[in-house]
Amino acid sequence: MNDAARHRPRRTAQSDPRLGHRRLFDADINAQLAAGLPQDARQAHFTRATMPDSWLEAVLENQPSYRAREKSVAIDLRGLPASMRTEFAWSIERQVQLGMRIQAQNTTKLTRQIALVLTDPEHARLSSLTDLPHEDWLRAIRKSRIRIGEPLAANQMAIVGRILARAVDLLVHVYHRGPWWELNVWNPLLDTRISLREHEPRRNNLIYFSHLITPWLREAAKWWLSRQLERGVYTWSTAFTRQVNLCWFQRYLDVVGCDGPHLVDDPRRLGQWVQGFRQWLNQQRCTAGANKGEQLGQIHRRAAMTGLEQLYRFVFEERDEAAEVLAEDRWRRLGPQHAVLFRYGDKPTGPKAPPPDAVLSDAVISRIAEHSGLLAQPQAEGGFADEQLVRIVGLLIKTGRRISEITLLDYDPVLAVPFPDPDGSVARLRYQQTKIITEDSSIPIDQETLDLIRQQQEYACTFMTGQNRPGVDPKYLFLAERNNRNGDRPYPSTTARPRLTKFAAAIDLRDGQDHLIKISKTHTFRHTRATSLLNAGVPLHVAMRYMGHKTPVMFLHYARTLSTTAEREFLRYKKITADGRPYDRDPREMFEALALDQRTDRILPNGYCALPPRQVCDKGNACLSCTKFVTDATFADTLQQQREETAKLIDRRQHAHVQRFGQPMTDDNVWLRGRTEEVAALDGVLLAIDRVRHHDGTTTAVRGAGAPQRRLSGDTAAEHAAENT
């Protein structure tokens, strides 16, 4: 595929949630809005004396800094039709309920421009803010200002446009009579019909379906995602990601086109058509983010294929309903082949192990903690003026939680510990489970972590006082700074990551190879914490529960045991050969030869095989008679079990031999001699292992003198073992 076939990004509408519907205005709904307003909100002109108290608390110009400059809080709706006055008053009331700030002067500036537009005969009959698209309103305002010889500056037009967009967005949802999913923009903040979990980390993310310009694809995507949200199959975060993934399929349709929802008329050509999409993805490049311009990665390509496949699988299963609801009969042409668009192996698996920089060294963590105060310093002093981010970073380091689990902490997330904890934990921290649902959503914390939480609670109380809500406890511990008068919006992670990027650059944060470290990838703190737990010797099941994972496979994906830890664990046990003598080579050489993470074919159920990698074993399972077999105390239980089973096997075979031949097997019997040697070897190994144990149960790694390999009897093996301890 040539370069011309690659996707070229285009701009599409993102702020008009009306689906192209015109004349959304409904006089009956408008009358209901007017009737639902408080009595003191049914005016055309509001001053400090006549404005509702709830409005006055929300007006930006009523804040102390603005009042000192004698800013007016008046809102003037005069000159507008009654229906528009109702719309403005209702939108202000709704913004107050949502905890937003009201800019009185800019709102009045907008109403004056709307009134000016209505003096033009072309727009004299407009009765609602929804009668014109957002862009047409701005065009009409600009034209009216030029007509009177007083054009607005670009920054003033931007302010007016922002106030207008918020009011129109609110009105669209209240005027819209159809199913909520018909809207091209899904905004959970403004549309209460959207199903959300109580603590949704991406609550503030809007889903824009205007990027999907193919009608049948856009409508099917909205119907599919709405059903999955309502049924609880998808969360809002998943729905957001699925829509983004489908954009790649839309871009492919822009390049090659298609015959409709069924993709191809000839079902036999479907596989070839889908493979063309897969090959096209391999040539695409990232259009945004840190990797902009680079080849599209395996994870993104897999996500694009998965989103498309799940859409078609869902619609195939409910194709008759889809054809009826979406008014697109061609969905009935889907066959079983559409439910499995990609063959096994078509979708890339992506990296299965964390990258090398996923774990931060102790030196890096110390440097971050040492300079974290820079985040709270005023901007005039070179800081970031973000006191909350200092404590967020502290909790990331101390707990290893996901950043969404930190920013969504309840205002009071601390649970008391009923009994003193010998490990130093003073309380438990309850966090929101946003990804993996487990039975326990709390972890033990120490005094330092508890102090961070108490400091942030003091900040939250001060914040609510600044919002004219003294004594009101916010919903979350870490709070969004803007439009959050109710304290029900958490600190956005989209604010934290860019600031952490700049913070790392400001303190010149580098690793041991002098490479800059990106702590904006906050999951590195989680990798680091998980690795620290393993390296400290915390049992796997305990570390899994702390990190909130259900399976060892999931946990080990996030945590890498350092190579030094693996080597230390390997070397701290004395290695014993098959004849009970200490291994005569340097254990470090053996560790390198085995390369445990790559030479798993040399790890045996009861020890290790020291056979060089290029040589092939010809002894089958006769390891106990092989000079290349070594073992240590970690296999003691397995060796003891093997010894008991071998002894029982000898007894059973002797009994069977007597029953059949009338006499037991002699010592020179070829089978009995082999089994007897195995028992003798196991006795020697177990005795040698036991002799190097200390009274406290620990063992010492002792290197043998290097005598030639030979079979020993039990007594001789014991003597040699005693000499080498």
Side-chain angles (χ1 to χ4, degrees), residues 10-14 184 207-214 217-218 243-244 246-247 250-251 254:
R10 62 169 180 274
R11 295 190 60 175
T12 56
Q14 294 186 352
N184 263 0
I207 299 181
Y208 298 103
F209 289 96
S210 53
H211 294 291
L212 305 178
I213 62 174
T214 303
L217 175 62
R218 181 181 64 244
Q243 187 277 330
V244 172
L246 284 178
C247 290
Q250 175 62 68
R251 295 162 185 169
D254 294 343

Side-chain angles (χ1 to χ4, degrees), residues 185 202 252 275 305 316 369 437 460 472 521 545 554 597 691 698:
V185 176
R202 288 194 170 185
Y252 182 65
Q275 289 305 308
M305 297 181 195
F316 166 72
I437 306 301
V472 176
K521 298 179 180 179
R545 180 175 179 179
M554 185 182 299
D597 57 342
R691 291 286 183 154
T698 60

Side-chain angles (χ1 to χ4, degrees), residues 265-561:
D265 291 328
D266 186 355
R268 294 173 297 182
R269 293 182 51 243
L270 179 62
Q272 180 181 356
W273 196 93
V274 172
Q275 289 305 308
F277 172 58
R278 183 179 66 84
Q279 294 169 4
W280 176 84
L281 278 177
N282 293 337
Q283 301 184 28
Q284 300 311 299
R285 298 185 179 276
C286 297
T287 58
N291 298 324
K292 183 177 181 179
E294 298 182 5
Q295 200 78 17
L296 199 63
Q298 291 183 348
I299 295 178
H300 293 90
R301 298 203 308 273
R302 180 180 178 85
M305 297 181 195
T306 300
L308 177 64
E309 190 171 50
Q310 292 189 359
L311 166 64
Y312 267 85
R313 184 176 302 165
F314 177 86
V315 179
F316 166 72
E317 294 173 351
E318 305 188 27
R319 56 191 178 278
D320 291 333
E321 183 181 356
E324 182 178 350
V325 173
L326 304 177
E328 176 57 79
D329 197 60
R330 289 179 296 178
W331 284 113
R332 301 183 193 273
R333 299 181 61 179
L334 266 58
Q337 66 275 15
H338 289 90
V340 189
L341 292 178
F342 300 97
R343 298 171 299 184
Y344 179 78
D346 278 354
K347 292 188 288 188
T349 58
K352 294 184 178 180
D357 60 348
V359 177
L360 304 175
S361 66
D362 292 342
V364 170
I365 292 294
S366 298
R367 184 168 177 80
I368 293 173
E370 179 183 357
H371 294 85
S372 61
L374 181 65
L375 293 168
Q377 288 183 6
Q379 294 181 351
E381 301 177 10
F384 297 87
D386 194 341
E387 181 182 344
Q388 296 187 96
L389 190 53
V390 178
R391 290 185 278 273
I392 290 175
V393 171
L395 291 178
L396 287 172
I397 294 174
K398 295 288 293 183
T399 67
R401 309 317 309 171
R402 301 176 182 88
I403 190 169
S404 60
E405 296 170 346
I406 297 296
T407 57
L408 289 174
L409 286 174
D410 292 331
Y411 169 71
D412 189 7
V414 178
L415 301 175
V417 177
F419 304 103
D421 191 331
D423 296 328
S425 299
V426 298
R428 296 188 69 86
L429 176 66
R430 183 183 64 252
Y431 61 91
Q432 312 298 350
Q433 296 183 341
T434 59
K435 187 174 181 180
I436 302 172
I437 306 301
T438 59
E439 295 179 357
D440 188 9
S441 60
S442 65
I443 57 174
I445 57 174
D446 57 15
Q447 186 62 48
E448 184 178 356
T449 306
L450 182 60
D451 292 342
L452 288 173
I453 294 171
R454 297 305 185 205
Q455 293 171 14
Q456 180 59 27
Q457 286 176 332
E458 295 178 3
Y459 174 90
C461 291
T462 304
F463 176 87
M464 294 304 295
T465 301
Q467 305 298 316
N468 293 326
R469 307 294 295 275
V472 176
D473 291 341
K475 181 177 181 179
Y476 294 108
L477 181 63
F478 295 95
L479 300 168
E481 297 177 354
R482 298 182 179 180
N483 290 320
N484 194 21
R485 295 178 49 255
N486 297 335
D488 56 357
R489 294 182 56 205
Y491 185 101
S493 60
T494 52
T495 299
R497 290 190 173 93
R499 290 180 181 175
L500 289 177
T501 298
K502 296 178 181 178
F503 168 70
I507 65 174
D508 195 29
L509 191 64
R510 297 179 180 271
D511 59 15
Q513 303 300 320
D514 201 36
H515 297 151
L516 285 173
I517 298 176
K518 298 179 180 179
I519 58 173
S520 57
K521 298 179 180 179
T522 55
H523 225 62
T524 55
F525 293 104
R526 185 167 175 82
H527 282 285
T528 303
R529 182 60 174 169
T531 303
S532 299
L533 291 175
L534 285 184
N535 291 337
V538 177
L540 182 62
H541 69 284
V542 176
M544 281 173 52
R545 180 175 179 179
Y546 181 89
M547 300 304 295
H549 287 127
K550 288 186 175 181
T551 64
V553 175
M554 185 182 299
F555 173 71
L556 293 176
H557 173 77
Y558 286 87
R560 296 187 311 155
T561 303

Side-chain angles (χ1 to χ4, degrees), residues 553-673:
V553 175
M554 185 182 299
F555 173 71
L556 293 176
H557 173 77
Y558 286 87
R560 296 187 311 155
T561 303
L562 298 179
S563 58
T564 54
T565 302
E567 182 176 357
R568 182 176 67 249
E569 290 297 309
F570 180 84
L571 296 178
R572 75 187 184 96
Y573 292 101
K574 179 180 179 181
K575 300 299 178 284
I576 305 297
T577 61
D579 62 355
R581 295 183 61 84
Y583 185 55
D584 62 352
R585 289 175 56 191
D586 189 340
R588 291 179 176 81
E589 296 177 3
M590 180 184 174
F591 178 80
E592 295 175 358
L594 286 175
L596 291 180
D597 57 342
Q598 300 175 3
R599 298 295 305 175
T600 56
D601 58 320
R602 293 298 191 259
I603 301 177
L604 308 175
N606 55 355
Y608 306 96
C609 177
L611 187 70
R614 293 182 179 274
Q615 295 186 21
V616 180
C617 176
D618 58 358
K619 293 183 176 294
N621 62 352
C623 296
L624 287 169
S625 61
C626 179
T627 59
K628 300 299 182 182
F629 172 79
V630 293
T631 188
D632 58 31
T634 60
F635 296 95
D637 293 341
T638 301
L639 293 167
Q640 182 63 40
Q641 181 181 0
Q642 185 178 1
R643 198 263 183 217
E644 294 173 356
E645 291 176 352
T646 303
K648 292 178 181 179
L649 177 62
I650 292 175
D651 292 340
R652 289 198 303 269
R653 293 297 175 86
Q654 280 283 26
H655 180 73
H657 194 279
V658 171
Q659 292 291 331
R660 184 171 183 177
F661 299 104
Q663 60 181 2
M665 290 181 285
T666 60
D667 292 341
D668 59 351
N669 181 282
V670 62
W671 182 88
L672 182 60
R673 185 170 65 247

Side-chain angles (χ1 to χ4, degrees), residues 210-273:
S210 53
H211 294 291
L212 305 178
I213 62 174
T214 303
W216 58 261
L217 175 62
R218 181 181 64 244
E219 300 308 309
K222 292 189 292 186
W223 182 65
W224 161 53
L225 293 177
S226 68
R227 290 295 181 271
Q228 299 295 66
L229 280 173
E230 291 171 347
R231 296 172 181 176
V233 178
Y234 287 169
T235 64
W236 180 256
S237 300
T238 304
F240 176 85
T241 304
R242 292 287 182 263
Q243 187 277 330
V244 172
N245 296 336
L246 284 178
C247 290
W248 287 107
F249 182 62
Q250 175 62 68
R251 295 162 185 169
Y252 182 65
L253 295 181
D254 294 343
V255 175
V256 302
C258 74
D259 298 329
H262 55 291
L263 302 179
V264 290
D265 291 328
D266 186 355
R268 294 173 297 182
R269 293 182 51 243
L270 179 62
Q272 180 181 356
W273 196 93

Side-chain angles (χ1 to χ4, degrees), residues 22 123 132-141:
R22 295 304 179 96
H123 301 110
L132 288 180
H134 180 264
E135 294 77 9
D136 290 354
W137 272 117
L138 296 184
R139 192 178 298 111
I141 291 173

